């Protein structure tokens, strides 16, 4: 079964499935449909209005169609900004560049116990900061068509430029 099978480019359904579909579109690197799901999920529903199957949010941030799934929404947003395996980090893989032209995100956790901060400007990666507190890891960083391999030592922070060059390292404070 595919996302497209579910009507309106995979956008139909209750609030709980909207966040799930947002994450799936992000994993498929489809920022346009992932962003459409963001808009669908955060559509404000007036108090007391029954919305049936389509969902949306009440002003208290509860979804208008049970069950409450706001935590899945935040996970899906994170999936748009960072994807990982134990050996690969994908920076801004499904960023809707024309909708979110600039921003920063801090403290995203990637597989392998790696923490990542990312800043972008004019829809392009400006810098990424990553660190881990445990063992050394060899990672491939991906952004757009660029790939670089780096060794991340536990207890050190690494700052990368928008073209994935390591421009600074320093020890983490204990």
């Amino acid at each position: 079964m595919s996302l497209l099978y579910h009507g309106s480019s995979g956008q139909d359904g209750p609030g709980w499935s909207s966040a799930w579909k947002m994450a799936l579109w992000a994993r498929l690197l489809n920022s346009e449909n992932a962003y459409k799901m963001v808009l669908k999920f955060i559509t404000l529903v007036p108090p007391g209005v029954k919305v049936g199957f389509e969902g949306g949010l009440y002003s208290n941030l509860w979804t208008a169609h049970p069950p409450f799934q706001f935590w899945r929404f935040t996970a899906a947003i994170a999936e748009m900004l960072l994807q990982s395996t134990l050996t690969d980090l994908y920076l801004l893989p499904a960023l809707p560049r024309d909708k979110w032209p600039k921003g920063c995100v801090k403290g995203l956790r990637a597989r392998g116990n790696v923490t990542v901060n990312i800043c972008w400007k004019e829809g392009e990666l400006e810098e990424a900061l990553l660190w881990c507190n445990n063992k050394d890891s060899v990672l491939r960083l991906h952004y757009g068509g660029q790939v670089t391999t780096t060794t991340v030592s536990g207890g050190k922070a690494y700052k990368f430029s928008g073209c994935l060059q390591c421009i600074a390292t320093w020890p983490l404070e204990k």
Side-chain angles (χ1 to χ4, degrees):
M1 198 175 289
S2 75
L3 287 170
L4 297 176
Y5 177 76
H6 292 281
S8 297
S9 299
Q11 297 171 29
D12 290 341
W16 66 267
S17 74
S18 296
W20 176 69
K21 291 174 192 171
M22 184 190 326
L24 289 173
W25 283 120
R27 184 53 78 158
L28 293 170
L29 310 179
N30 188 319
S31 61
E32 182 180 339
N33 279 328
Y35 183 72
K36 286 178 184 176
M37 297 309 300
V38 169
L39 295 180
K40 180 176 174 44
F41 192 93
I42 64 172
T43 299
L44 191 59
V45 176
V49 172
K50 298 282 185 189
V51 294
F53 190 65
E54 289 307 307
L57 285 180
Y58 292 121
S59 60
N60 65 1
L61 298 183
W62 285 80
T63 54
H65 185 280
F68 176 68
Q69 297 288 310
F70 201 75
W71 61 273
R72 287 190 183 178
F73 175 78
T74 57
I77 294 291
E79 191 77 8
M80 294 171 74
L81 303 175
L82 176 70
Q83 294 178 19
S84 65
T85 68
L86 287 175
T87 57
D88 294 271
L89 293 179
Y90 297 86
L91 306 173
L92 307 177
L95 175 71
R97 287 164 170 66
D98 58 331
K99 306 297 184 192
W100 300 339
K102 65 179 181 173
C104 287
V105 62
K106 295 182 178 182
L108 291 179
R109 293 302 289 255
R111 287 174 179 82
N113 200 26
V114 176
T115 304
V116 182
N117 295 352
I118 305 170
C119 289
W120 63 95
K121 188 175 179 181
E122 297 177 8
E124 299 297 330
L125 178 66
E126 187 171 29
E127 69 179 34
L129 180 67
L130 53 116
W131 67 93
C132 64
N133 292 317
N134 54 1
K135 60 182 175 53
D136 295 354
S137 299
V138 176
L139 296 172
R140 284 185 301 268
L141 298 179
H142 301 258
Y143 172 68
Q146 304 171 71
V147 180
T148 191
T149 302
T150 188
T151 300
V152 177
S153 298
K156 288 181 81 175
Y158 297 81
K159 184 176 183 178
F160 291 85
S161 68
C163 57
L164 301 183
Q165 292 180 318
C166 185
I167 55 176
T169 63
W170 59 90
L172 294 174
E173 295 180 12
K174 294 185 180 189

